[in-house]
Amino acid sequence: MELLILIGRTAFFYFFVLLVFRFMGKREIGELSVMDLIVFFMMSEVATIAIEKDEVSILKGMIPILTLGILQYGIALIALKSRWFRKLLDGEAIIVIENGKIKDTAMRKMRYTIDDLLLQLREKEVMDVSEVQFAVLETNGKLSVIKKDTANTKNTKQNLLYPLIMDGEIITPILKKIGKNEKWLYDAIKKSGYESVHQIFYCSYVDGKLFIDPYDTISYDQK
């Protein structure tokens, strides 16, 4: 009888946790943030206690799991509307190699070691740092690598994609990085038929062209 109860509780919490995960709209394991992992670990601990301890009622096991699910769902909604909040939770992608030179200052700020960098470069089949035009450490810990093109090395930086607007907010440091100012961006947006950056969900600059994705439709504009 005890064995059947254990099997029943295990099956129940399996499907219950699965439903909560579906409600949270989770991504693949490789895309999880630190907050996602914390919630997942806490849920697994609560579910284990609820399964193993008969004195813990099913309801008492469900409440903390459901609370964590609702909390994470609410945080995700806030992060969706606030880029500042996303940066607070997940951080920002950083360039760790530019034109074959390692950005050791940026690496120290992220507590990212040279051993970590070389390991991830080897995983990308890159053995020589000088072969790398750009390497970007993403917010999920993965390394994106753009190798030098010996036939077109001068244009590699130009061909890199630069996000200029995200969620209606201008990314000023990146705008300065490409040698542009806000007046240039405002003029380009108005030329495309938009009155305000608040109409733009996402705007990027690549290969001398501006890509504009508003909140409701998508347009494409040459610089």
Side-chain angles (χ1 to χ4, degrees), residues 23-100:
F23 166 75
M24 291 162 56
K26 291 299 99 184
R27 299 161 287 180
E28 295 180 3
I29 293 298
E31 300 174 343
L32 298 182
S33 66
V34 174
M35 289 290 294
D36 294 328
L37 290 174
I38 291 173
V39 170
F40 281 12
F41 285 138
M42 290 182 69
M43 280 188 178
S44 64
E45 287 295 322
V46 171
T48 300
I49 293 172
I51 291 171
E52 292 180 347
K53 295 183 180 293
D54 293 337
E55 62 271 22
V56 177
S57 68
I58 290 179
L59 182 61
K60 286 185 177 179
M62 291 173 61
I63 290 175
I65 293 175
L66 191 58
T67 300
L68 288 170
I70 294 173
L71 180 63
Q72 184 69 353
Y73 182 78
I75 289 174
L77 286 180
I78 297 173
L80 186 65
K81 297 178 180 296
S82 170
R83 184 172 179 271
W84 175 86
F85 192 67
R86 287 200 303 272
K87 287 171 60 178
L88 180 65
L89 293 180
D90 298 331
E92 285 188 293
I94 62 165
I95 296 175
V96 292
I97 299 177
E98 183 174 0
N99 196 25

Side-chain angles (χ1 to χ4, degrees), residues 130-194:
S130 64
E131 297 176 3
V132 180
Q133 185 69 24
F134 286 97
V136 180
L137 183 64
E138 307 292 354
T139 57
N140 61 1
K142 292 184 179 180
L143 189 70
S144 299
V145 178
I146 301 174
K147 293 184 181 180
K148 289 182 179 179
D149 182 357
T150 54
N152 193 25
T153 303
K154 292 182 180 180
N155 293 329
T156 305
K157 188 172 183 177
Q158 183 183 8
N159 294 337
L160 190 67
L161 186 147
Y162 295 92
L164 303 183
I165 299 175
M166 297 176 68
D167 288 342
E169 178 185 342
I170 297 175
I171 314 302
T172 305
I174 297 181
L175 193 61
K176 291 180 179 178
K177 188 177 181 64
I178 63 173
K180 306 292 184 181
N181 55 36
E182 291 190 6
K183 183 180 182 304
W184 169 85
L185 184 58
Y186 282 125
D187 290 342
I189 289 172
K190 287 183 178 179
K191 185 179 176 182
S192 301
Y194 302 101

